[in-house]
Amino acid sequence: MAQIFDRSSNALARMSLILTGLIVIALGVTLDQLQYSPWVTRQGQRADQPVPFSHKHHVQGLGIQCQYCHTTVERSSYAGIPPTKTCMNCHAQIWTNAALLEPVRRSWATGESIRWIRVHDLPDYVYFNHSIHVNKGIGCSSCHGRVDQMPIMYQENSLQMGWCLNCHRDPAKNLRPANEVYNMAWQGPSTRKPVWCGTAGDKDGVPTAQTVNCTTVDPSQVGARTASLDMLPPTDSPETHMLDIAAHPNGAAGPTGADNVNYTKFTDQESLGLFLLKQYHIRDPHELSSCETCHR
Amino acid sequence: MKETESKAETMDTQDGMAAKDAGLKVLGQDAPVQQGTTLAAARAELDTGAGWQGLDTAAAHPGFGRRIEQEFPAHAGEWVDPVSRRGFMKLMGASLAMAGLAGCTKQPDEPIYPYVKAPEDLVLGKPNYFATAFPFNTGALPLLVKSDAYRPIKIDGNPEHPMSQGGSDPLSQGSLLGLYDPDRSQHVLYHLEASSFPDFKKALIRDLAGMPGGQGLYILSTTITSPTLAAQWKDAQKRYPQARLIQYDPVNRDSARRASKAAFGDFYDAQYLVDKADVILSLDSDFLSGITHPGFVKLSREYADRRKLMDPSIEMNRLYAVESMPTTTGFKADHRLKLRASQVAAYARAIAAAAGAGSAGSSGNWTGEQQAFLAALAADLKANAGKCIVIPGEQQTPEVHLAAIAMNQALGNVGKTVVYTETVVPLPSIQLDDFKSLVADMNAGKVQWLLMLDVNPVYSSPVDLMFADALKKVPKTAQLGSHLDETAQVVDWHINDAHYLESWSDARAYDGTLSVVQPMIEPLYGGKSAHDVLQTLLDDPSRSSFDVVKANWQPLLAGKGNFDDAWRKVLHDGFAANTAFAPKALSANVAAALGAETQPVPGDDAIEIIFRPDPSIYDGRYSNNGWLQELPNPIVNNCWDNAVLMSGPTKVKLGLAESDVVEISLNGNKVRGSVLSIPGHPDNSFTLHLGYGRTHVGRVGAGMGFNAYAIRTSATPLFATGAIFKKTGDTYEIAVTKSHYSDERGPMALWGSAETGDLRSHSLEGDEAITRGIVRYATLEEFRKEPNFAHEKGVFPEDPERDNTLFANFPYDKNAWGLAIDQNSCVGCNACIISCYAENNIPVVGKHQVKTGRDMQWLRIDTYFEGDLQSPRAHFQPMMCQQCENAPCEEVCPVGATVHSPEGLNVMVYNRCVGTRYCSNNCPYKVRRFNFLLFSDYETESLKLMRNPDVTVRSRGVMEKCSYCLQRISAAKIEADKENRAIRDGEIVTACQQACPTNAIVFGNINDKNSRVYKIKNQPRNYGVVADLNTRPRTTYIAEVFNPNQALAGGAPVEHAPEHS
């Protein structure tokens, strides 16, 4: 009786074994990659919102500050979605008949909330807190991207754990002066655009953002005074202190001694980050990447 | 729908207990598996004749239960157990879901609903705190309620209140779940059909027009605690002078009232100043267990403050307890004497005589031990005249109260350690007498309209009065109630009650300080309060309770400046400052009141029944509260059921065994309950807890336990002698959270034997706890001689050296969190456990799961019994995750789900946990809890409102445990970091610490030498439980110190070293 299988089938059998292995591996890699793909992370997806609200128009076009709507970002874990009232502050006066704003007017008239779709949605077991990030010099755009250039809001970053840890293990690379947190166009210092930072001395109980002052204008030039207005005046005599800074902008010893600001010039993110890491008392990476920081 | 569900279960079997019996028995034996049943046969078996209208109908059909047993023998019990029946459905549902959708983790779209107009003071993500008060008939408990987006999510004591100073208790803590109880009554009903409150008002006002002067209008109310409600009643009486108000609670203060009336001629409350007393005598008074005793929060704090031994200038007090059933008060006492309830009065008389107050009774037939106790006690009282207190028990007779009044007066305590004031409740009365006259009037046909406010008399009234029959003779009845309970089934009108967290009212605390009860949330189901109902009788029937309360406070705040400012301050603070009662100078003619007559003390052999409110569900009003149902009772740790509690020797002598169902007959009334032995109970005496055996209350409480009211008569509401019992041959197992049954092992097992007559027994666990140094204690004298007694070499195992470990030591250079538990202060009241439930979203698992050992409480209170279990010494030890620095659990987790934090916490990462349970096996403290089934309720809408948003709701297959309230640590860290400062001592308070009325638990940074926790841990009495295993626990315990009377030293086991016999 003739053999059913020819000798050449051996090669075929080997091939199919290898192929099966390859397919399994490919499938594994595909599934793994799928977890990081925008299909799962929703990066770049524009949700179908009831009102096609344009951050670009309101932020870049009109220059509205982030906190005008996201009022609790500095105080609470939750940045806050503006109530209909906030929209109506202006839209009771302008674009009162715009068809696009119909859901807003309906909400205002009926008292029912506008039903937005959450764009940045962390899993429920992650306890993210906006206030601590904003207070410690992490800018809005570090996580949310150039919101001022988004006609329709979308998620810029993956918001996955690996992405969070990237920064929690080395926060210095994203730290910026607290007064630049809401600056969407902030790009970090460079030789062409240096940053000068000074500290008025660390004080216990005084928020770090108020004892560190940074400016993008050379403090030895006129105009530094405007920048230093952000800084909390020392306790005793606010007026004199303001004058001190103005009088001794480059940190020369002034009458009040320790209260004076010594400005340092930074031309790269690394050195600025390390300076701020120290000044802002950022906890060390060991603590920041410990599980209980975000999960409980 | 939900109500019909529970009805179906109970109606089917008449008696809920029988149903569970059946279920439990099935668990024990292998259900017969029928082979080869045809589909037709199964259909025939399940044919109801009328078809099914849903799964509930099917479930009620006996054939269905049988099929389930055959199909899933292991789950049969769950199907019968009403709570875990839901769990079973969820389990099956979840398995189906898992099969199809495993691996698909894409999250669904989540909507955001912003405010239309945001409230001004609301910062979403940050809680608000509002002050209110928990009204209770022994005095209100002032509260501070944590509110997340205006949903109350945590209840705690108001730390600024002069009386409570932030303490709370299990009932007030648990009342949060009462608000969100999905089985609350939600509609106004007329003959169980939907109606409305205006319709009710119309009907009442129409009928009143035909009742001149309100003749025939009777109002039966729970004890009125609100001065405003009392004022409303007084107004109503002006309009309807013939109307009558009767206040009746099944557990009331009648004994104290009768005694006060007899001694002083009027109703007064006694306030005890425990902090000023060197010697305290409790006459069956359980003042360390919960707010069932008036002033619990204050009395227990003051008791504990004198026992902390931190400040050498504060002298330690000494507590004597004479008690008829084991309570935490008795076991915290330096000397405890068990006595039959019927003998306490005579014994109190004898003490009074010996202490120089009145003449001795005739029945001085005391045993040697009792005589010695009496002599030493009387001598100690006399030696400390003016610095001692006698506290009578609320569940004792007026005679005991009179004896206490006499002793306090004769010893010169009045004005020093005890003061008499106005009553905390505005309309004091002798409730049982009033109630009896009400029933008489009902039977005589005098009652035309009966309005019942927050009472359930069909369930809880004395059985001999036959209230349900009398109710049928009343033409019109209405009930204001929180649930569709037994009374709601038979009344004409049922009005759904507003929870106290939903309504305006006011109340007085133990010391008389006035508080406003302000609502935390709009009534979830449009409920009405007693104020709204009473207002119907007044000129302006639609006036809101807010207006009524505010108007009533006008005179109260007169002289405190602008009313609106003063009112706002009261609402903000939670109380009106300086409104405590001033002591009254009263002189009692006690000798005359006490009289010479004594009731004959019944013989020792007559079986005595003691009725007590349940420590968790009280008189039954908290029956449907899962947290409280699952809360282990102090001492014996049973939950979900009441039991026939008796001493071990009695059990052996009567030929009974644990779980035997006995039928108790008392004056012809019968009840069946299951036997449970409890250490330290007087012999020939059964304690029955009230509040169980509900038929209509909701999915949690219906059918649990037996109804002790069924044998409680108006003649003997406190205790009764002459019961007959019969063994029925049935068994019914009770869920006990601790290894109760191992108390029966050991060298002298099973309470000895009836044959040899040696009825002594030891607790194996207790013995081990002493030998292994789990509990350590000394007498005050020994402590003075050797302050380091807790580390005595050769007696207790020593802690190993720090470097004696295979693993690297973690450095803790910044914060290092630690917890100290003072065992001298812990009174075992369980407030911490309920607080932990609320703070950490802990699920309720149901009786069946507790029996299987799957209870989820992160914190438990271990009770160790030492010595002969007939009259042991007990040690209470709160036990939760010890946050070991050298944690055995961490080393065995294969997936890194339990890891060490830089601050020394042992943290659980729920999402990594795959449920191997190795960590739990390796934990020497047994404090890890595994979520075997889907215990968290993800479906019930109302419960979602209650959850703490800062804590993950854990799912099935995940290990969980105490985290030292990590969410509170994180919140404090973020605030401190923002303000650029260190975390202040006392800024982080764990939930258990916050609830503790005696400040037994202190949390803080042990690296900070100025912190309170460091100072406490720095005492020589500080020790770690099984720290000899080199676990280096962060939670440590402060060893107990007792203060025994030298004259009695031989009588109690006071040796701290274990006897190696």
Side-chain angles (χ1 to χ4, degrees):
Chain A
M1 189 182 157
Q3 282 180 329
I4 300 173
F5 292 107
D6 192 61
R7 277 188 80 86
S8 64
S9 0
N10 288 351
L12 214 64
R14 281 188 206 108
M15 282 282 271
S16 54
L17 275 176
I18 292 166
L19 255 173
T20 313
L22 283 177
I23 288 171
V24 167
I25 291 166
L27 201 71
V29 171
T30 312
L31 281 175
D32 183 57
Q33 284 304 307
L34 193 69
Q35 288 298 313
Y36 302 102
S37 75
W39 189 74
V40 169
T41 64
R42 300 174 178 220
Q43 266 162 291
Q45 294 181 16
R46 274 80 164 166
D48 192 13
Q49 304 285 9
V51 180
F53 177 82
S54 167
H55 276 87
K56 180 177 177 177
H57 171 67
H58 288 86
V59 180
Q60 200 180 55
L62 303 172
I64 296 176
Q65 168 72 320
C66 306
Q67 294 136 289
Y68 180 75
C69 297
H70 304 293
T71 48
T72 54
V73 71
E74 288 185 356
R75 287 182 287 164
S76 169
S77 56
Y78 184 57
I81 298 294
T84 312
K85 173 82 169 61
T86 308
C87 310
M88 292 307 283
N89 284 348
C90 297
H91 289 297
Q93 315 286 331
I94 52 170
W95 296 107
T96 50
N97 289 317
L100 287 178
L101 293 174
E102 176 52 29
V104 179
R105 289 193 297 271
R106 198 185 323 123
S107 160
W108 187 242
T110 60
E112 272 175 36
S113 300
I114 305 171
R115 188 182 190 274
W116 298 102
I117 291 168
R118 188 182 281 272
V119 173
H120 296 89
D121 188 9
L122 290 175
D124 291 351
Y125 50 84
V126 179
Y127 292 86
F128 176 80
N129 189 308
H130 273 97
S131 68
I132 190 67
H133 290 85
V134 170
N135 275 277
K136 294 290 181 185
I138 297 294
C140 306
S141 62
S142 297
C143 304
H144 293 290
R146 291 297 297 268
V147 172
D148 62 327
Q149 294 176 355
M150 295 181 188
I152 295 288
M153 191 67 195
Y154 61 87
Q155 179 183 318
E156 169 96 5
N157 293 301
S158 75
L159 304 191
Q160 285 183 322
M161 185 163 155
W163 174 82
C164 294
L165 280 173
N166 239 347
C167 183
H168 273 225
R169 284 180 178 143
D170 180 17
K173 63 185 173 209
N174 283 311
L175 288 179
R176 57 170 86 173
N179 54 354
E180 300 289 349
V181 161
Y182 304 105
N183 180 359
M184 284 292 152
W186 174 260
Q187 286 186 324
S190 59
T191 34
R192 220 159 44 81
K193 290 171 85 180
V195 174
W196 289 264
C197 282
T199 168
D202 191 12
K203 285 185 194 61
D204 193 45
V206 175
T208 46
Q210 295 171 1
T211 54
V212 181
N213 187 48
C214 293
T215 169
T216 47
V217 184
D218 189 347
S220 59
Q221 307 295 314
V222 197
R225 191 174 168 188
T226 335
S228 66
L229 285 175
D230 290 337
M231 189 155 63
L232 180 85
T235 44
D236 40 0
S237 52
E239 271 83 351
T240 30
H241 179 70
M242 282 301 162
L243 294 174
D244 285 345
I245 297 173
H248 309 278
N250 48 6
T256 44
D259 283 335
N260 275 331
V261 181
N262 294 301
Y263 282 96
T264 321
K265 183 178 171 185
F266 296 99
T267 53
D268 62 310
Q269 175 63 34
E270 197 184 346
S271 53
L272 174 69
L274 289 174
F275 171 81
L276 291 176
L277 198 68
K278 188 161 163 284
Q279 295 305 324
Y280 287 171
H281 301 277
I282 309 289
R283 289 175 184 266
D284 60 43
H286 178 46
E287 279 184 85
L288 287 182
S289 58
S290 181
C291 304
E292 89 282 7
T293 307
C294 307
H295 306 289
R296 53 191 84 141
Chain B
M1 179 63 205
K2 273 149 196 164
E3 198 50 42
T4 48
E5 182 182 305
S6 63
K7 237 189 289 173
E9 278 154 28
T10 44
M11 270 162 47
D12 175 44
T13 52
Q14 289 294 316
D15 170 2
M17 208 166 111
K20 270 184 223 65
D21 265 345
L24 290 164
K25 265 188 274 172
V26 167
L27 278 179
Q29 52 196 246
D30 291 327
V33 182
Q34 290 177 13
Q35 296 294 333
T37 314
T38 62
L39 194 59
R43 279 211 187 106
E45 192 180 1
L46 293 178
D47 188 16
T48 57
W52 303 346
Q53 282 175 331
L55 269 181
D56 290 327
T57 329
H61 184 50
F64 189 79
R66 271 201 301 280
R67 302 276 347 148
I68 288 286
E69 282 165 24
Q70 285 164 17
E71 201 71 31
F72 308 103
H75 295 301
E78 283 182 39
W79 187 259
V80 179
D81 194 10
V83 173
S84 47
R85 205 180 84 191
R86 286 182 300 137
F88 179 74
M89 291 306 289
K90 272 190 261 173
L91 175 73
M92 300 308 283
S95 319
L96 284 175
M98 284 299 289
L101 297 167
C104 184
T105 53
K106 197 169 181 239
Q107 289 190 62
D109 271 347
E110 214 173 283
I112 305 176
Y113 297 96
Y115 277 100
V116 175
K117 276 183 194 169
E120 204 178 316
D121 55 347
L122 179 70
V123 176
L124 284 174
K126 289 210 151 188
N128 294 40
Y129 292 86
F130 298 101
T132 186
F134 174 61
F136 202 73
N137 57 17
T138 56
L141 196 68
L143 301 179
L144 198 58
V145 179
K146 180 182 177 187
S147 169
D148 178 80
Y150 305 120
R151 294 170 295 117
I153 56 166
K154 180 80 181 66
I155 287 174
D156 272 300
N158 184 346
E160 284 167 22
H161 195 277
M163 186 281 293
S164 78
Q165 299 189 11
S168 55
D169 91 308
L171 301 187
S172 53
Q173 289 276 350
S175 64
L176 180 70
L177 183 56
L179 169 67
Y180 296 112
D181 182 352
D183 295 334
R184 274 177 66 188
S185 138
Q186 305 183 358
H187 306 284
V188 175
L189 302 176
Y190 180 66
H191 289 148
L192 296 175
E193 302 282 338
S195 185
S196 70
F197 191 61
D199 286 348
F200 161 76
K201 285 204 289 195
K202 244 182 273 167
L204 176 60
I205 291 169
R206 189 188 57 224
D207 288 356
L208 276 172
M211 295 156 67
Q215 181 82 45
L217 173 66
Y218 284 69
I219 298 171
L220 172 61
S221 170
T222 183
T223 309
I224 289 178
T225 52
S226 158
T228 299
L229 193 61
Q232 277 178 296
W233 165 244
K234 279 174 189 153
D235 283 351
Q237 224 173 8
K238 278 180 208 144
R239 260 183 89 146
Y240 302 106
Q242 305 300 319
R244 281 203 57 205
L245 169 74
I246 295 97
Q247 300 174 71
Y248 178 72
D249 276 320
V251 178
N252 51 47
R253 302 200 58 201
D254 278 359
S255 296
R257 299 273 181 261
R258 284 183 210 273
S260 164
K261 191 94 179 172
F264 306 115
D266 205 349
F267 298 127
Y268 295 102
D269 272 351
Q271 263 186 46
Y272 303 106
L273 313 175
V274 173
D275 53 339
K276 299 204 170 67
D278 290 348
V279 173
I280 307 159
L281 165 63
S282 146
L283 290 172
D284 215 358
S285 149
D286 191 12
F287 69 95
L288 295 180
S289 273
I291 53 171
T292 308
H293 193 279
F296 155 73
V297 171
K298 177 173 178 281
L299 302 187
S300 56
R301 184 188 69 243
E302 290 178 349
Y303 158 83
D305 280 352
R306 292 281 304 262
R307 297 181 83 89
K308 295 214 189 289
L309 296 169
M310 291 278 284
D311 177 356
S313 68
I314 297 175
E315 212 179 307
M316 197 171 168
N317 58 22
R318 179 178 296 144
L319 172 60
Y320 295 87
V322 176
E323 59 178 13
S324 58
M325 82 150 287
T327 66
T328 55
T329 312
F331 285 127
K332 287 311 287 182
D334 299 292
H335 293 287
R336 172 180 186 272
L337 182 73
K338 58 173 183 183
L339 208 59
R340 283 160 64 79
S342 53
Q343 294 178 333
V344 173
Y347 199 72
R349 254 171 204 286
I351 304 170
S359 55
S362 51
S363 54
N365 195 12
W366 307 112
T367 65
E369 186 203 352
Q370 288 161 347
Q371 274 170 1
F373 189 92
L374 195 149
L377 167 62
D380 211 5
L381 285 175
K382 271 201 269 188
N384 287 285
K387 290 182 294 177
C388 59
I389 322 181
V390 183
I391 306 180
E394 293 297 310
Q395 306 306 319
Q396 264 298 343
T397 58
E399 211 182 343
V400 174
H401 284 254
L402 281 170
I405 293 172
M407 275 189 265
N408 281 328
Q409 185 162 306
L411 292 164
N413 295 336
V414 180
K416 290 176 184 151
T417 58
V418 55
V419 292
Y420 295 100
T421 64
E422 279 173 57
T423 54
V424 163
V425 295
L427 302 169
S429 60
I430 294 173
Q431 299 192 340
L432 188 59
D433 292 356
D434 289 357
F435 188 72
K436 276 198 257 184
S437 75
L438 167 73
V439 176
D441 285 358
M442 284 161 79
N443 284 325
K446 289 184 193 164
V447 183
Q448 298 301 308
W449 247 98
L450 181 62
L451 204 51
M452 289 174 273
L453 305 177
D454 296 311
V455 284
N456 184 11
V458 170
Y459 164 70
S460 64
S461 59
V463 63
D464 57 323
L465 299 180
M466 296 196 276
F467 183 86
D469 293 340
L471 196 63
K472 288 183 190 138
K473 297 177 185 141
V474 181
K476 292 279 182 192
T477 53
Q479 182 215 24
L480 175 72
S482 60
H483 289 81
L484 286 172
D485 54 20
E486 292 82 351
T487 305
Q489 306 301 320
V490 293
V491 290
D492 296 323
W493 290 93
H494 169 82
I495 303 153
N496 55 324
D497 190 13
H499 194 262
Y500 79 94
L501 292 171
E502 298 174 333
S503 49
W504 285 95
S505 187
D506 51 2
R508 280 186 187 275
Y510 176 62
D511 66 345
T513 303
L514 273 161
S515 282
V516 172
V517 177
Q518 60 170 329
M520 298 290 122
I521 190 168
E522 183 86 0
L524 293 174
Y525 312 113
K528 300 291 170 193
S529 68
H531 295 282
D532 299 321
V533 175
L534 264 194
Q535 191 66 26
T536 309
L537 305 175
L538 301 179
D539 292 333
D540 185 2
S542 300
R543 204 169 178 210
S544 73
S545 50
F546 170 67
D547 290 336
V548 174
V549 173
K550 198 172 169 186
N552 196 53
W553 273 65
Q554 294 270 5
L556 294 172
L557 293 178
K560 296 201 175 185
N562 180 316
F563 173 76
D564 281 326
D565 294 347
W567 170 252
R568 280 193 72 83
K569 183 168 163 51
V570 168
L571 293 186
H572 172 270
D573 295 352
F575 59 94
N578 306 320
T579 47
F581 290 136
K584 291 210 180 294
L586 296 176
S587 178
N589 185 4
V590 193
L594 194 56
E597 137 268 344
T598 356
Q599 286 170 351
V601 176
D604 279 352
D605 287 340
I607 299 280
E608 191 167 84
I609 306 286
I610 304 171
F611 301 101
R612 286 288 172 97
D614 189 82
S616 305
I617 64 166
Y618 196 54
D619 58 4
R621 68 181 71 174
Y622 304 117
S623 284
N624 208 48
N625 189 318
W627 292 349
L628 292 172
Q629 280 278 11
E630 200 153 293
L631 182 66
N633 279 1
I635 316 299
V636 80
N637 297 312
N638 57 321
C639 59
W640 284 104
D641 278 303
N642 55 346
V644 180
L645 296 173
M646 63 182 74
S647 74
T650 302
K651 188 184 74 183
V652 173
K653 219 171 67 187
L654 301 181
L656 298 169
E658 300 271 329
S659 308
D660 272 356
V661 174
V662 291
E663 187 177 77
I664 300 170
S665 327
L666 193 64
N667 305 325
N669 300 305
K670 287 178 184 156
V671 74
R672 287 154 57 104
S674 178
V675 170
L676 189 66
S677 57
I678 179 168
H681 202 289
D683 290 343
N684 297 331
S685 163
F686 300 164
T687 296
L688 311 184
H689 280 131
L690 302 168
Y692 283 94
R694 301 287 303 268
T695 53
H696 296 86
V697 64
R699 64 187 81 176
V700 176
M704 306 310 297
F706 62 87
N707 183 1
Y709 289 115
I711 56 168
R712 192 187 192 220
T713 62
S714 58
T716 52
L718 304 173
F719 49 84
T721 315
I724 308 163
F725 80 95
K726 191 175 86 194
K727 206 167 148 179
T728 59
D730 290 346
T731 54
Y732 176 76
E733 282 186 37
I734 285 167
V736 178
T737 57
K738 312 293 152 53
S739 45
H740 169 74
Y741 299 100
S742 73
D743 281 351
E744 303 272 325
R745 301 201 307 263
M748 284 182 274
L750 293 171
W751 299 95
S753 72
E755 287 80 38
T756 59
D758 181 6
L759 294 169
R760 284 176 300 165
S761 172
H762 271 240
S763 160
L764 182 68
E765 285 192 336
D767 284 353
E768 277 181 10
I770 302 288
T771 22
R772 296 198 63 180
I774 291 169
V775 289
R776 305 177 186 189
Y777 70 90
T779 65
L780 184 60
E781 209 182 339
E782 284 167 335
F783 168 63
R784 289 221 175 100
K785 247 185 270 168
E786 179 49 67
N788 201 25
F789 71 88
H791 300 278
E792 201 173 322
K793 286 204 171 20
V795 176
F796 297 116
E798 285 169 58
D799 300 356
E801 288 300 316
R802 204 177 164 74
D803 291 326
N804 188 6
T805 165
L806 278 175
F807 303 99
N809 284 320
F810 291 96
Y812 304 105
D813 42 3
K814 290 175 191 164
N815 298 325
W817 307 118
L819 193 78
I821 300 178
D822 180 7
Q823 293 197 84
N824 245 20
S825 300
C826 174
V827 294
C829 72
N830 284 344
C832 47
I833 300 182
I834 301 288
S835 183
C836 184
Y837 261 115
E839 175 70 20
N840 292 306
N841 298 332
I842 294 175
V844 172
V845 301
K847 177 187 171 185
H848 179 70
Q849 298 297 326
V850 172
K851 273 183 65 61
T852 324
R854 295 174 181 174
D855 54 313
M856 297 297 284
Q857 288 153 1
W858 285 4
L859 164 60
R860 62 175 194 260
I861 297 182
D862 284 338
T863 310
Y864 294 107
F865 296 106
E866 183 194 354
D868 182 4
L869 289 181
Q870 294 184 67
S871 40
R873 182 180 276 299
H875 306 275
F876 301 107
Q877 186 169 60
M879 180 57 67
M880 66 288 250
C881 176
Q882 307 277 299
Q883 313 288 349
C884 308
E885 287 187 5
N886 211 355
C889 52
E890 286 167 8
E891 316 298 353
V892 295
C893 181
V895 294
T898 184
V899 290
H900 214 73
S901 92
E903 295 178 334
L905 297 182
N906 176 244
V907 294
M908 266 308 301
V909 190
Y910 304 125
N911 258 53
R912 281 186 188 164
C913 180
V914 296
T916 63
R917 290 176 279 141
Y918 295 167
C919 53
S920 178
N921 291 342
N922 216 31
C923 172
Y925 304 96
K926 291 287 159 269
V927 288
R928 288 178 160 264
R929 297 280 178 264
F930 187 68
N931 199 327
F932 276 90
L933 306 172
L934 203 62
F935 289 136
S936 300
D937 187 335
Y938 289 90
E939 277 98 49
T940 310
E941 286 297 321
S942 66
L943 296 179
K944 291 180 187 169
L945 302 177
M946 181 186 69
R947 301 253 158 78
N948 185 351
D950 294 327
V951 178
T952 305
V953 179
R954 282 84 53 188
S955 182
R956 182 167 61 117
V958 173
M959 189 61 75
E960 51 185 79
K961 63 162 192 80
C962 164
S963 64
Y964 273 176
C965 289
L966 183 56
Q967 62 282 5
R968 296 185 178 202
I969 299 175
S970 295
K973 254 158 84 171
I974 286 174
E975 284 315 304
D977 278 7
K978 279 199 279 190
E979 289 167 29
N980 185 29
R981 58 172 172 82
I983 296 172
R984 299 183 194 104
D985 186 35
E987 195 174 347
I988 306 171
V989 174
T990 63
C992 49
Q993 173 183 8
Q994 198 169 13
C996 184
T998 60
N999 302 316
I1001 302 175
V1002 175
F1003 176 84
N1005 181 4
I1006 53 175
N1007 274 355
D1008 172 7
K1009 302 274 183 285
N1010 294 315
S1011 70
R1012 232 177 107 208
V1013 69
Y1014 177 83
K1015 286 176 187 158
I1016 292 174
K1017 280 179 181 258
N1018 207 25
Q1019 297 178 92
R1021 291 190 290 142
N1022 181 56
Y1023 72 96
V1025 168
V1026 296
D1028 51 303
L1029 301 178
N1030 201 12
T1031 51
R1032 293 209 291 270
R1034 278 285 174 83
T1035 301
T1036 53
Y1037 295 83
I1038 310 301
E1040 276 174 291
V1041 173
F1042 287 104
N1043 184 13
N1045 184 347
Q1046 285 308 306
L1048 276 173
V1054 286
E1055 288 292 312
H1056 67 266
E1059 290 172 48
H1060 301 281
S1061 51

